[in-house]
Amino acid sequence: MFRKLKGPVIFLLMFLDVQVIVGSTPICVHGHTGCQTLSLADLFDRVIQHSARVHGLSSDLHSEYEQYFLPSKNKISKINRNCHTSYILTPNGKENAQRLAGEDLTGVILKLLLAWRDPLSQFHRSMAQHEDFTSFSGNKALEMSDMMHLLGMISNSVRGLISNEALGPQASSSEARPMNDQQLLYCFRRDSNKIQIYLKILKCRIAPEQGC
Amino acid sequence: MHSADPRLTLSSSDLRDCPGPEMMAARHLLLLLSQACLLLETGSLAAAPPLTASEAPLESPHFTACLSREQETFRCWWSAGSFRNLSQPGALRVFFLKKNSLSRTWMECPNYTASVPNECYFNKSYTSIWTSYCLQLRSRHHNVTYDERCFNVEDIVHPDPPVSMNWTLLNVSRSGLHFDIIVRWEPPPSADVKAGWMSLTYEVQYRERNASHWEVLDLETSTQQSVYGLHTNMEYEVRVRCKMRAFDNFGQFSDSIFVHVPGKVHGKESTFPVTVVFIFGVVGLAILFLLIIFSHQQKLMVILLPPVPAPKIKGIDPDLLKKGRLDELSSVLSSHPLCKAEMYREEPWVEFIELDLERMDAAEKTGCSDTQRLLGLVPHLGSSHRLAAKDGDLGRASCYEPELSEADPAVAAAFCLRPRVTSPELQSDRPAPDAGPAPVAGSAPDGEADGRPVIQTQLSTQSSVSMDFYAQVSDVTPLGGVVLSPGQQVRGPGEKGEGGDGQPLKNQKEGQKKEGEGGVEKEVPLPLLIVAPDSGAYTSELGNRQIGSDCSRREAFQDPPAEMPQPPPEKNAVEQFALIVPPAGEYQSPYFIPPTPQLPPVADYTVVQDVDAQQSLLLNPSTPPPPSMAPVKPPPAMPVGYLTPDLLGNISL
C-alpha cells in the first residue's frame, strides 16, 4: 500500500524542491529521457486515491478490531486515547487548513507520514504474534505492512530533503509510548483521514480541474 | 466501518439554514418527543433506553442525535424522555468537553438553538475535527447527568442531500420497450466540495412509481449516474443521497424525480400478431412440405437416387424366352449384326424347296428322320435303323417347333433341308416321287447337274456304309442347291463344287479311311455343316454337349468305331465341318460360318466319340486327347427358328 504513497511522496519531494508548482511536471524521477508527463491534477488524483484507500483500510481494521476484541463498547476509553502524533500541529478545521500555506500543509503531511512509520511496523509485529489478529486482518495486515514499508522509504528520502526545521521535533521511537493495537488503529485511522483531506485541499488549491 | 454510537440516530439538521428537508426531520423529531412525553416515565438516571415509542414507559432524558452536515458545525438534540417536568427549556443543560484541549473543564453548550427546542448548536469556532467531544446532559441545578455521549465530529457527519437532480435520455432500445437515462445532480451546497474539504460519494436509487422496493445502484463518486434497462410507458422515481468517502453515514435522500418515456404502444401490439402469423405460416409451409415429400416419396427417391441401370449385356434376355415372346426374340436377334435371320424370309431359293409334308408325316409316323430320308434309308427302317427312329425326334424337334408353327410352316419346314435327293438306286427303294429331289435339282439351275448324281453317289455310298448317318454337304450353289460331297477334301477351291463329285464311290471309302487322298491343301472346301439343334455331332464342341440330344450322341456312339473313318488327325475333324460361305452374295446363307483355322486335311467327317474333361472331343478313344482342341470353339450356327431356351446357355454372340 505504501507503494501507492510513493506517488504523493515523490510529488511532495518535488514540491519541496521546486517552490513554484507549474502546470505539468514530468514524473520521470530516474532521469530517463522521453518520460511521460503527467498533469498535476492527475498526480494529485492518484495520491488522493491512495490516501483514501489507506484511510478505508484503517477504518475497516479499526471497526473489525472493536468488533472482535471489544464487544462491550467503552466510550470513555475512547476519550482517554492520546495518539502519539498529537504533538503535530495540524489544522483542525477547514479555515485553518485553508489558511495554511502549501508548504506548511505539505510539511504537515510529511510529518504525519513519518510519524507513522515505526508504530505501523510495531503494529505489524504485534499482529504477527497475535494469532487472533490474523484471522480477521488477513489482507489488511498485509496492506498495513506495505504501508509501513512505504512510510519507511518516504521518511528516509524525505529526511534528506526536508530541513529539520520544517519537520519540527520528531518523536523518536524511544519516546513513543507503547500503544495497544486498538489505540493504534484508532489513531492511524484518524491520521489517515487527515492526510487525505489535506491532500485534497492541496489539490483543489493547486489544480482544481477535476474532482473539486 | 466506522463504529458510530447507535444512539446517534439520524436527526434533523440545522433548521435555520435550510428549511426544506430539515422541516421534515424536525417534524419527525417532534413526533418522537411527543410520543416519549406521552409515556409517563418516572425514571432513574439510567442509561438512555432505545428511542422507540413502544418501549418501556420509563425513559430518562437523553441525547437523541448529534449531527454534522458539512464537517464544520454540528448540533445535538436531546429529549426529556418520560420526565415531563424537564421538558421546558432550560431544565436540562448540555456540557461538552474537548479532549484535545488541555483544560478538563466542561463547558456548556455555546448555543442553545432558540427556534428548535432541545438543540445545541456548535459553530465553527467550537467545532474541531479529529477531536474527541464528550457531551453531557445534565439537569439544571442538581448536577445530575442524565446522559453522556462522546464522538468525533468526522464520525457524525451526515451530508445534505444532493440538489438539482435531472435526467437525460441516453437511448431507446430498438424494440422501443427499454430505454436508458443518465441522472445528474449537484453536490449539496453546504458541503464544501470545491475546496476539497469533503469528498462525497453518492448513491442513486430508483423504483417504479407504485412499487415498494427501491433499486439501489452502486456508489458513485462523480455527480452523475447512468440508469439502464428502464421500461417505456412506465413512470420511475429516482432519488439520490450522499455520504462522506470512507465513512458510513448517509445523508438524507434528495427529492425524487420522475422519469417517464412514452413507448410505442402500437409497436408492441402490432408486432404480436405479425409474429403469430409468421410462425403459423412457417409451420404450415413445413407441414405442406412434409406432406409432399411423403406422398411422392417413391418418385423423389427415384429422382434423388436414380436406380443404377443394370448392365446391358449383349445378348438375349432370357426373360424373353421364358415368357415365350418369340417376336421380341426375333427382333433382338435380327438387330444383332450377326443375325440375319430375317433374311431367310426373303430367300427365293427357300421357297423352291417344297416339302412333301405328307411324306414327312408318313415318315414321321414311321419314325424316319431327315437323315434317314436323306440317305435314302427310309425303306430300310428296321432294327438297324432303330436308332434312326430316334432321329425322328430330332427331325421333329427341328422342323416342328411349336413356336415356328405360328410362322410360316413352309418356311420352317424349309429349314429342314431335306433334300429329297434320291439316288437312282434309292429311287427304286423309295416309293416317293421325285418331288423331293426335284426341287433340289431345280434349285440348281446353274448346271449343277452333277449334284444329283453326286448326291446320289454320295447317298449310295453312304448307304453302303450303314453307320454313316450323316451326309456331308460340300457346297451350296448360289442358287441354293446343296452339294454333297463324299467326304474328300482334297479338292481345291476350284474343285469345290466338284470336289466330291468326281470321286468314284470306291474312292470315297478310301478317302474316308485315309487321311485324305490328294494334296492336303490348306484351303479345303469346307464342308457344309448342317447344324441341327439336336444332332450336335457337327456342331461345336460345346454345342455338342449341350445342344445335342441323347439320340444323336447315342447315335454317334453306337456307330461301330471300326467302321467309321477315323483318320489320325481326327481331332480336327470337327473343325472341318463348317459352313461354306457362299462366294456370291446372291443369297445369304442363313447359317453362320465361323472362321475356322486352317486344318490339315483329314476325313471329311467323323463321329465324335466322347468329350473329355477338358472339353475336347474324343473322336477315337485310343487317340490322345487333342492338345488344343479346347480353345477352338467355333460358334454354332443356328437358325433363329431353332432356338430353344435350353440352347441359349451356350449362345455367345
Side-chain angles (χ1 to χ4, degrees):
Chain A
M1 183 48 61
F2 270 0
R3 285 187 227 101
K4 299 165 187 174
L5 286 178
K6 208 186 275 183
V9 171
I10 290 168
F11 159 71
L12 290 171
L13 293 174
M14 292 182 297
F15 179 74
L16 292 172
D17 284 344
V18 182
Q19 298 298 321
V20 179
I21 304 298
V22 293
S24 67
T25 311
I27 60 172
C28 323
V29 292
H30 299 290
H32 292 182
T33 57
C35 299
Q36 178 191 2
T37 58
L38 194 64
S39 69
L40 204 60
D42 294 336
L43 193 64
F44 260 117
D45 285 335
R46 294 186 186 185
V47 167
I48 290 162
Q49 283 175 15
H50 298 321
S51 64
R53 176 67 177 158
V54 168
H55 175 61
L57 280 171
S58 62
S59 298
D60 294 342
L61 271 173
H62 178 257
S63 59
E64 284 178 20
Y65 188 89
E66 280 196 342
Q67 182 181 354
Y68 280 101
F69 294 95
L70 294 174
S72 59
K73 299 205 174 175
N74 197 354
K75 300 168 194 63
I76 299 174
S77 61
K78 277 185 185 176
I79 303 169
N80 294 330
R81 270 185 220 136
N82 219 353
C83 294
H84 68 290
T85 56
S86 302
Y87 66 95
I88 303 174
L89 295 173
T90 59
N92 286 337
K94 186 181 85 173
E95 288 79 11
N96 297 338
Q98 284 178 333
R99 253 184 259 128
L100 267 182
E103 307 94 26
D104 299 334
L105 200 54
T106 313
V108 168
I109 296 168
L110 281 171
K111 283 182 201 171
L112 286 169
L113 285 172
L114 287 168
W116 274 104
R117 184 190 54 172
D118 294 332
L120 279 177
S121 61
Q122 174 192 356
F123 175 71
H124 178 69
R125 267 180 265 122
S126 67
M127 268 172 45
Q129 294 168 3
H130 285 259
E131 296 172 356
D132 301 334
F133 254 123
T134 56
S135 63
F136 87 95
S137 52
N139 300 333
K140 295 189 181 66
L142 203 62
E143 293 174 23
M144 294 282 283
S145 61
D146 290 342
M147 286 190 286
M148 286 185 312
H149 287 297
L150 190 57
L151 257 185
M153 290 188 295
I154 293 167
S155 59
N156 290 331
S157 59
V158 164
R159 251 190 224 115
L161 296 172
I162 300 177
S163 61
N164 290 336
E165 299 87 30
L167 278 176
Q170 294 180 25
S172 60
S173 56
S174 60
E175 293 180 9
R177 274 167 277 154
M179 288 181 291
N180 57 351
D181 295 331
Q182 182 190 4
Q183 189 174 358
L184 183 136
L185 285 171
Y186 172 81
C187 292
F188 184 67
R189 175 167 154 267
R190 191 189 70 177
D191 287 342
S192 60
N193 192 24
K194 276 187 187 177
I195 293 169
Q196 177 190 357
I197 289 178
Y198 295 155
L199 283 169
K200 188 84 176 186
I201 290 172
L202 265 179
K203 188 253 182 186
C204 287
R205 185 191 300 179
I206 295 170
E209 290 91 34
Q210 327 164 3
C212 273
Chain B
M1 276 17 93
H2 171 60
S3 62
D5 195 334
R7 289 185 296 171
L8 289 175
T9 58
L10 185 63
S11 63
S12 65
S13 52
D14 192 1
L15 293 170
R16 288 174 285 180
D17 297 34
C18 302
E22 287 145 4
M23 284 297 289
M24 289 289 297
R27 241 180 277 145
H28 279 290
L29 180 62
L30 286 170
L31 194 66
L32 288 169
L33 288 171
S34 61
Q35 282 175 349
C37 282
L38 283 172
L39 304 170
L40 297 169
E41 292 175 354
T42 57
S44 56
L45 301 174
L51 190 68
T52 51
S54 61
E55 280 288 329
L58 288 176
E59 194 178 12
S60 61
H62 56 275
F63 284 106
T64 53
C66 284
L67 175 67
S68 172
R69 287 165 53 205
E70 71 286 270
Q71 208 175 11
E72 298 170 37
T73 64
F74 70 99
R75 300 164 195 271
C76 277
W77 296 273
W78 68 89
S79 78
S82 326
F83 291 42
R84 292 289 112 226
N85 51 351
L86 299 174
S87 57
Q88 62 268 26
L92 293 170
R93 299 166 72 178
V94 174
F95 290 88
F96 70 96
L97 183 66
K98 285 168 73 172
K99 288 309 294 178
N100 58 348
S101 65
L102 299 174
S103 63
R104 294 283 179 168
T105 59
W106 290 80
M107 291 189 293
E108 196 165 355
C109 174
N111 190 356
Y112 289 98
T113 309
S115 55
V116 178
N118 299 339
E119 179 189 294
C120 182
Y121 170 68
F122 294 83
N123 56 12
K124 292 180 184 179
S125 57
Y126 288 97
T127 307
S128 298
I129 316 300
W130 304 297
T131 318
S132 295
Y133 279 84
C134 276
L135 264 70
Q136 280 185 350
L137 189 65
R138 296 177 188 171
S139 62
R140 190 205 299 259
H141 300 295
H142 300 94
N143 283 343
V144 178
T145 304
Y146 293 107
D147 190 12
E148 184 173 353
R149 199 170 273 198
C150 297
F151 52 86
N152 279 13
V153 178
E154 67 269 16
D155 295 332
I156 59 165
V157 176
H158 296 258
D160 286 336
V163 296
S164 306
M165 210 162 68
N166 61 351
W167 66 277
T168 312
L169 183 66
L170 267 179
N171 54 29
V172 182
S173 69
R174 229 189 300 174
S175 62
L177 300 174
H178 303 277
F179 65 97
D180 305 328
I181 60 168
I182 183 165
V183 186
R184 291 192 181 85
W185 57 86
E186 291 292 323
S190 60
D192 194 354
V193 184
K194 279 202 176 302
W197 178 243
M198 284 178 73
S199 307
L200 298 175
T201 54
Y202 306 92
E203 181 186 85
V204 176
Q205 296 183 2
Y206 71 95
R207 70 170 181 185
E208 295 176 15
R209 187 63 182 276
N210 296 326
S212 59
H213 171 67
W214 287 89
E215 295 286 340
V216 180
L217 301 179
D218 293 335
L219 290 175
E220 186 73 34
T221 310
S222 59
T223 59
Q224 64 182 22
Q225 171 74 279
S226 304
V227 185
Y228 303 108
L230 298 177
H231 297 274
T232 54
N233 295 325
M234 198 175 293
E235 198 163 6
Y236 285 93
E237 188 179 350
V238 185
R239 63 182 186 181
V240 65
R241 62 178 183 175
C242 60
K243 73 174 179 72
M244 280 220 304
R245 199 186 300 177
F247 288 96
D248 304 328
N249 300 321
F250 272 106
Q252 292 278 14
F253 279 105
S254 64
D255 292 335
S256 300
I257 58 168
F258 297 96
V259 180
H260 178 79
V261 171
K264 302 174 192 174
V265 181
H266 305 292
K268 189 174 183 182
E269 292 177 358
S270 65
T271 52
F272 178 71
V274 170
T275 309
V276 170
V277 167
F278 180 69
I279 288 171
F280 272 106
V282 167
V283 170
L285 282 173
I287 291 171
L288 195 67
F289 187 62
L290 286 172
L291 280 173
I292 290 172
I293 285 178
F294 281 117
S295 61
H296 297 278
Q297 201 171 10
Q298 303 299 327
K299 295 180 191 174
L300 282 173
M301 285 300 293
V302 170
I303 292 169
L304 293 174
L305 302 172
V308 177
K312 293 195 175 178
I313 304 170
K314 276 189 174 178
I316 299 172
D317 188 7
D319 291 338
L320 291 175
L321 292 166
K322 287 176 190 172
K323 293 170 188 173
R325 296 199 205 127
L326 190 67
D327 297 337
E328 297 174 7
L329 190 63
S330 306
S331 64
V332 169
L333 286 176
S334 63
S335 63
H336 199 276
L338 292 180
C339 282
K340 301 187 184 75
E342 292 295 328
M343 291 306 190
Y344 77 92
R345 297 175 186 272
E346 303 160 2
E347 297 300 332
W349 63 275
V350 173
E351 298 170 356
F352 288 97
I353 299 177
E354 295 175 4
L355 291 173
D356 193 354
L357 293 174
E358 298 170 7
R359 271 201 71 189
M360 278 165 53
D361 293 338
E364 290 300 330
K365 289 167 191 171
T366 55
C368 291
S369 68
D370 301 334
T371 312
Q372 297 297 326
R373 283 183 225 106
L374 184 66
L375 297 176
L377 299 174
V378 170
H380 294 283
L381 279 176
S383 61
S384 61
H385 304 293
R386 199 184 312 123
L387 301 169
K390 288 166 189 174
D391 274 343
D393 299 334
L394 309 175
R396 192 183 300 116
S398 62
C399 288
Y400 293 95
E401 279 291 341
E403 297 88 352
L404 290 177
S405 60
E406 304 165 4
D408 190 1
V411 174
F415 266 106
C416 292
L417 274 183
R418 301 168 189 177
R420 307 291 180 194
V421 180
T422 55
S423 61
E425 303 168 355
L426 295 174
Q427 279 184 351
S428 59
D429 300 334
R430 286 193 187 180
D434 288 327
V440 176
S443 66
D446 290 345
E448 295 283 344
D450 298 336
R452 258 183 72 181
V454 170
I455 293 171
Q456 291 171 358
T457 309
Q458 174 86 2
L459 290 173
S460 61
T461 308
Q462 296 299 332
S463 61
S464 64
V465 181
S466 61
M467 71 290 294
D468 290 335
F469 297 102
Y470 317 101
Q472 179 180 345
V473 178
S474 62
D475 194 6
V476 176
T477 60
L479 295 180
V482 175
V483 176
L484 298 176
S485 73
Q488 296 179 355
Q489 300 190 350
V490 296
R491 313 283 184 259
E495 299 172 336
K496 195 195 298 189
E498 306 170 12
D501 298 348
Q503 289 294 329
L505 288 169
K506 300 156 191 173
N507 293 340
Q508 172 72 14
K509 203 171 182 178
E510 296 172 356
Q512 288 174 353
K513 288 185 177 176
K514 302 173 187 173
E515 293 193 14
E517 290 186 89
V520 178
E521 300 178 4
K522 290 283 183 175
E523 192 169 343
V524 298
L526 300 175
L528 183 66
L529 181 66
I530 301 173
V531 178
D534 304 321
S535 61
Y538 287 9
T539 58
S540 65
E541 297 164 14
L542 282 179
N544 214 9
R545 305 193 75 195
Q546 292 143 6
I547 296 177
S549 60
D550 293 340
C551 292
S552 61
R553 301 229 14 207
R554 250 177 283 132
E555 178 182 358
F557 290 151
Q558 291 188 1
D559 287 334
E563 296 176 348
M564 289 299 296
Q566 293 170 358
E570 283 171 351
K571 55 187 175 181
N572 300 327
V574 176
E575 290 85 2
Q576 300 170 12
F577 302 104
L579 289 172
I580 298 173
V581 179
E586 197 171 313
Y587 65 93
Q588 293 177 2
S589 167
Y591 299 104
F592 309 97
I593 298 180
T596 56
Q598 298 299 328
L599 309 169
V602 293
D604 292 335
Y605 60 90
T606 182
V607 179
V608 176
Q609 297 293 329
D610 194 4
V611 178
D612 62 359
Q614 296 164 0
Q615 295 198 347
S616 58
L617 297 175
L618 296 175
L619 302 173
N620 190 1
S622 61
T623 59
S628 62
M629 185 98 61
V632 180
K633 288 182 283 189
M638 55 202 76
V640 172
Y642 285 75
L643 278 176
T644 53
D646 52 335
L647 303 181
L648 279 178
N650 355 317
I651 293 177
S652 59
L653 298 173

